[in-house]
């Protein structure tokens, strides 16, 4: 029995040696966290009622795609009124411009009559009284032209104000059409058709599938070795044999307590540094269908660029098998 036990123990040890995970080199630091995609709230700018929903949870959306439409019937009526006021203001501008042209013609005629009177007065063919009358008529014509010019300026400003009001209303109508600001996927639908929301009311929460990252917390000795831009790998629990190439995009400047939701090997009482490991946007975008916020896993950071990645952490990109 003792011999059999020794043989069984030896076989078990050899099996464990053959199947255990390779040791992590000293230049690789790591921590565990959860995969996250940047959330974006699709919310209303104004209070109103939801008229249409054109997306649902799980849908892939592209930048500029219409996701929801708010009821804008009141704004549409306001816009029609403002457009009518704009038309009226345009007619006033045209009328004042016609009056200005008439005033300019009167000024030219008065100038010509004054010039003739001046010439005749110099030759003795007219009286000083006639010359004074022509001079007074010219001054009056010039004053009327100046007043007409001011009326044109005021009418043009009124037209611009009416046009501005109409444009603002049109912008508000456009802002009541909620569109996706980026490519991504709808994670939550928070409201439904017919609901009345306040200004800033959320309709959807979408994930920016091009901004995918994992936050991990490293102790001081490990965090001191990490630099922003360092090469990294993310290994998800669901896909342990598929390391994802990534980069360190953020390193906290101050230590903090580790959140309870993140399990670490160190005591939670110790201060840790938050490190964000971000997947390349092009790679994340190419695999948008596989992005699942909340997936647990590990993030590994290579603190020495001169050292290679161990075989189990060489991403498919590194191995030349790009998918």
């Amino acid at each position: 029995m003792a011999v059999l036990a020794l043989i069984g123990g030896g076989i078990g040890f050899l099996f464990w040696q053959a199947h255990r995970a390779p040791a992590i080199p000293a230049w690789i630091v790591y921590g565990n966290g959860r995969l996250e995609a940047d959330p974006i709230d699709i919310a209303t700018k104004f209070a109103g009622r939801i008229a249409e929903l054109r997306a649902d949870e799980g849908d892939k959306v592209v930048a500029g795609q219409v996701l929801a439409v708010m009821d804008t019937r009141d704004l549409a009526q306001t816009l029609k009124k403002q457009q009518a006021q704009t038309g009226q203001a345009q007619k006033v501008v045209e009328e004042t411009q016609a009056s200005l042209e008439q005033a300019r013609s009167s000024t030219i005629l008065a100038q010509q009559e004054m010039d003739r009177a001046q010439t005749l007065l110099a030759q003795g063919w007219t009286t000083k009284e006639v010359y004074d009358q022509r001079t007074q008529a010219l001054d009056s014509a010039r004053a009327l032209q100046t007043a007409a010019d001011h009326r044109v300026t005021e009418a043009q400003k009124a037209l611009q104000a009416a046009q501005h009001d109409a444009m603002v209303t049109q912008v508000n109508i456009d802002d009541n059409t909620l569109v996706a600001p980026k490519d991504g996927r709808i994670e939550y639908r928070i409201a439904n058709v017919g609901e009345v929301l306040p200004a800033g009311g959320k309709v959807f929460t979408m994930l920016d599938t091009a901004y995918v990252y994992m936050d991990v917390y490293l102790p001081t000795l490990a965090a001191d070795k990490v630099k922003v831009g360092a090469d990294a790998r993310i290994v998800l629990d669901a896909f342990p044999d598929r390391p994802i190439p990534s980069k360190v995009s953020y390193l906290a400047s101050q230590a903090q307590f580790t959140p309870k939701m993140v399990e670490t090997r160190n005591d939670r009482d110790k201060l840790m540094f938050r490190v964000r490991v971000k997947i390349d946007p092009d790679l994340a975008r190419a695999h948008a269908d596989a992005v699942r916020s909340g997936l647990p896993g590990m993030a590994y950071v290579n603190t020495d660029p001169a050292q290679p990645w161990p075989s189990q952490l060489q991403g498919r990109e590194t191995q030349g098998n790009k998918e």
Side-chain angles (χ1 to χ4, degrees), residues 33-271:
R34 296 180 182 275
L35 193 69
E36 300 289 346
D38 214 20
I40 302 174
D41 290 333
I42 308 300
T44 61
K45 184 177 179 180
F46 308 100
R49 187 186 305 275
I50 300 176
E52 296 180 43
L53 290 179
R54 300 184 183 180
D56 205 347
E57 295 178 354
D59 289 353
K60 288 182 62 177
V61 296
V62 298
Q65 179 178 337
V66 176
L67 305 181
V69 178
M70 306 297 291
D71 186 355
T72 57
R73 288 175 295 177
D74 54 342
L75 289 175
Q77 295 302 318
T78 301
L79 180 60
K80 288 182 179 179
K81 177 182 177 181
Q82 292 169 342
Q83 288 172 339
Q85 292 172 340
T86 301
Q88 291 177 344
Q90 180 64 46
K91 290 181 179 179
V92 172
V93 169
E94 293 172 356
E95 291 174 358
T96 55
Q97 286 175 339
S99 298
L100 177 59
E101 289 300 321
Q102 184 178 5
R104 285 172 178 170
S105 299
S106 298
T107 301
I108 293 173
L109 178 60
Q111 180 69 55
Q112 292 172 345
E113 290 179 346
M114 196 276 292
D115 291 341
R116 285 194 296 268
Q118 186 177 17
T119 302
L120 293 172
L121 179 64
Q123 296 176 353
W125 293 99
T126 189
T127 64
K128 182 69 167 57
E129 181 182 1
V130 173
Y131 173 76
D132 291 342
Q133 290 175 350
R134 298 292 182 266
T135 302
Q136 185 178 7
L138 176 60
D139 292 340
S140 177
R142 285 174 175 171
L144 291 174
Q145 179 180 340
T146 301
D149 188 61
H150 289 331
R151 286 195 294 272
V152 169
T153 301
E154 292 175 358
Q156 288 175 338
K157 290 181 178 179
L159 173 60
Q160 291 174 354
Q163 292 172 335
H164 173 75
D165 290 341
M167 286 189 293
V168 169
T169 302
Q170 184 62 60
V171 170
N172 292 341
I173 291 175
D174 295 340
D175 285 342
N176 274 281
T177 299
L178 309 184
V179 300
K182 295 182 177 181
D183 294 353
R185 188 174 63 249
I186 301 297
E187 185 178 26
Y188 301 115
R189 176 174 57 79
I190 304 170
N192 210 337
V193 173
E195 293 187 23
V196 177
L197 301 180
K202 296 180 183 179
V203 181
F204 295 106
T205 296
M206 63 173 287
L207 297 178
D208 180 3
T209 51
Y211 194 100
V212 185
Y213 61 91
M214 179 180 287
D215 284 343
V216 297
Y217 293 82
L218 300 178
T220 302
L221 295 179
D224 284 346
K225 303 176 184 178
V226 176
K227 295 181 180 180
V228 173
D231 202 17
R233 296 287 186 270
I234 292 176
V235 179
L236 300 175
D237 292 350
F239 307 100
D241 58 341
R242 299 173 63 181
I244 305 172
S246 51
K247 297 283 185 182
V248 175
S249 64
Y250 171 79
L251 174 61
S253 59
Q254 295 182 347
Q256 61 190 89
F257 289 101
T258 308
K260 293 181 179 180
M261 65 175 291
V262 178
E263 298 82 9
T264 66
R265 296 183 178 181
N266 298 314
D267 296 333
R268 297 188 187 279
D269 294 338
K270 296 182 180 179
L271 293 175

